[in-house]
Amino acid sequence: RMYASTTRAMAVRAARRGREGHARACRWTTTTRRTTRRCARTVARREDTASGGLLATGASSFSVVARASMRSGDDGDDDGAGRSKPSYSNETKLRSEAQAPFRVARQFLYGACGASATIGTGIATIQLLTKLAGAPSAPPIEGTLENLAIDVTALAVFAFLYTREEKAKEKQMARIGREERLGRLRLELAGGRSVRLEDLRGFSRAVIVSGDEEYLRDAIGDAERVREELVKRGVLVIPVPTTASADVPPPAAEDRKFRATPLRVNEWLEWVREQKSMAKVGDDKGVYVGLRMDGRVRSSGTGRVPFERFSVELPPVDSWGGALDGFDGRVGVDS
């Protein structure tokens, strides 16, 4: 018994050592194969680089161009004619829908009616062709021509109405986008506080005056004559000089609710130039832009700023007039 148990234990230990040795051999073989494959791939890669350097350079250049085109494509969608459509923020889209809440319903109605007219035009065209081909069961040609004329006219009318709504939408969203960019411009109040123009919504009616030194001084003088009435109506004058040499007197401490100084004047001038180019106004002319308390453009023009008219037309800020649409000046959808 002792001999048998001893022999059995020795056999178990030998088998265990054999399994461990086999496992070590398998691991060494696997490691050797991986190392051989890595060396082969490295050699092949070096040979490809040495023989096809031009191809590698072209591939890298293509990847750079592709990344650049992807970055440029993020700015807007291509309209098929090489021009990129402007992209608007969600806030701009929401403001557009709030100002024209029934436009989506009208466009849906025009599109559905246009689709119906398209189907009717196709059916009438087929009936006309079958009648001209001499089909015995085709409807009379007089009725077919009448239906075709009605369908074509309806298709043209609904296409025109849908296109007009789409153009009005794009024009409105462009205007709202300009107002949003204007609201992000910064200015400094008389007390030294720096704020964005949109931070003054609900409190002030900003009047942006842009021109040379003489134009700005005349505008400030005209505003000083009716200063008290303008302050009651929340009018805030923001002079934006078009030249760096313009010497405009800074606002005093008592001008906290009357005047403000624009910061980063180049951004203000860029916005003003955009408005001038859209209105086809020369760069040498002085312009003014009056805003409502909600940040929408109320009035704009060239020449002397009508501060006296503002002091009469605009309601005081402590009244109910400016809180309701229509009491703060007429603002059209496309103004």
Side-chain angles (χ1 to χ4, degrees):
R1 291 177 182 176
M2 291 176 61
Y3 176 76
S5 61
T6 303
T7 304
R8 217 171 11 251
M10 292 176 64
V12 169
R13 285 196 295 268
R16 186 179 301 168
R17 292 194 189 99
R19 286 196 297 270
E20 293 177 355
H22 179 70
R24 284 196 297 269
C26 290
R27 286 196 296 269
W28 181 84
T29 304
T30 303
T31 304
T32 304
R33 290 177 180 174
R34 290 177 181 174
T35 305
T36 304
R37 291 171 184 170
R38 291 174 183 172
C39 293
R41 284 197 297 266
T42 302
V43 173
R45 192 182 301 113
R46 290 178 179 177
E47 292 178 354
D48 292 342
T49 304
S51 61
L54 181 60
L55 179 60
T57 303
S60 61
S61 301
F62 176 76
S63 63
V64 172
V65 173
R67 288 194 297 269
S69 62
M70 290 175 63
R71 286 194 297 267
S72 63
D74 294 339
D75 297 336
D77 298 330
D78 194 352
D79 60 356
R83 300 183 299 271
S84 59
K85 294 182 179 180
S87 58
Y88 301 102
S89 62
N90 293 331
E91 184 178 358
T92 302
K93 296 177 181 178
L94 290 176
R95 287 188 59 187
S96 175
E97 293 179 1
Q99 295 179 16
F102 300 107
R103 174 174 290 136
V104 177
R106 291 196 299 268
Q107 286 186 310
F108 177 79
L109 178 62
Y110 297 154
C113 294
S116 177
T118 302
I119 296 174
T121 301
I123 295 175
T125 302
I126 294 174
Q127 291 177 350
L128 178 62
L129 294 177
T130 55
K131 184 63 176 179
L132 294 177
S137 59
I141 190 171
E142 294 82 4
T144 303
L145 291 176
E146 182 180 355
N147 294 334
L148 181 61
I150 294 174
D151 292 332
V152 170
T153 303
L155 178 60
V157 170
F158 288 119
F160 168 75
L161 294 175
Y162 185 89
T163 305
R164 187 182 64 174
E165 289 288 344
E166 190 66 22
K167 290 182 178 179
K169 176 183 176 181
E170 291 295 330
K171 194 173 182 179
Q172 182 193 40
M173 293 187 66
R175 175 182 59 81
I176 296 176
R178 293 194 302 269
E179 294 174 355
E180 292 295 330
R181 293 196 302 272
L182 176 62
R184 289 191 291 267
L185 299 180
R186 303 194 68 88
L187 66 154
E188 182 180 358
L189 302 179
R193 180 186 176 188
S194 174
V195 297
R196 288 184 174 184
L197 186 59
E198 62 184 1
D199 296 335
L200 303 179
R201 292 176 180 175
F203 304 98
S204 299
R205 299 183 175 98
V207 177
I208 304 168
V209 183
S210 179
D212 54 11
E213 179 179 350
E214 182 181 0
Y215 182 78
L216 295 181
R217 286 183 176 272
D218 292 341
I220 295 175
D222 294 341
E224 286 288 349
R225 296 188 184 95
V226 287
R227 175 193 180 101
E228 183 177 356
E229 296 298 327
L230 293 179
V231 171
K232 291 181 180 179
R233 287 155 176 81
V235 175
L236 183 68
V237 182
I238 306 175
V240 181
T242 54
T243 58
S245 59
D247 185 14
V248 181
E254 59 272 11
D255 295 336
R256 186 172 60 90
K257 295 183 179 181
F258 181 63
R259 281 186 55 190
T261 303
L263 301 177
R264 302 172 186 172
V265 182
N266 292 333
E267 297 180 1
W268 288 81
L269 290 177
E270 182 180 356
W271 187 87
V272 171
R273 292 192 192 100
E274 182 182 358
Q275 311 312 305
K276 286 183 176 180
S277 63
M278 294 185 61
K280 298 180 180 180
V281 177
D283 293 337
D284 56 341
K285 290 187 177 182
V287 296
Y288 68 90
V289 179
L291 305 181
R292 291 169 32 130
M293 296 187 72
D294 58 0
R296 299 167 63 186
V297 176
R298 177 183 182 270
S299 61
S300 60
T302 60
R304 301 186 72 92
V305 186
F307 284 112
E308 293 186 0
R309 180 163 59 88
F310 291 164
S311 64
V312 176
E313 292 182 354
L314 296 176
V317 293
D318 55 353
S319 66
W320 286 92
L324 301 176
D325 189 14
F327 290 86
D328 199 14
R330 180 180 180 274
V331 177
V333 172
D334 301 327
S335 59

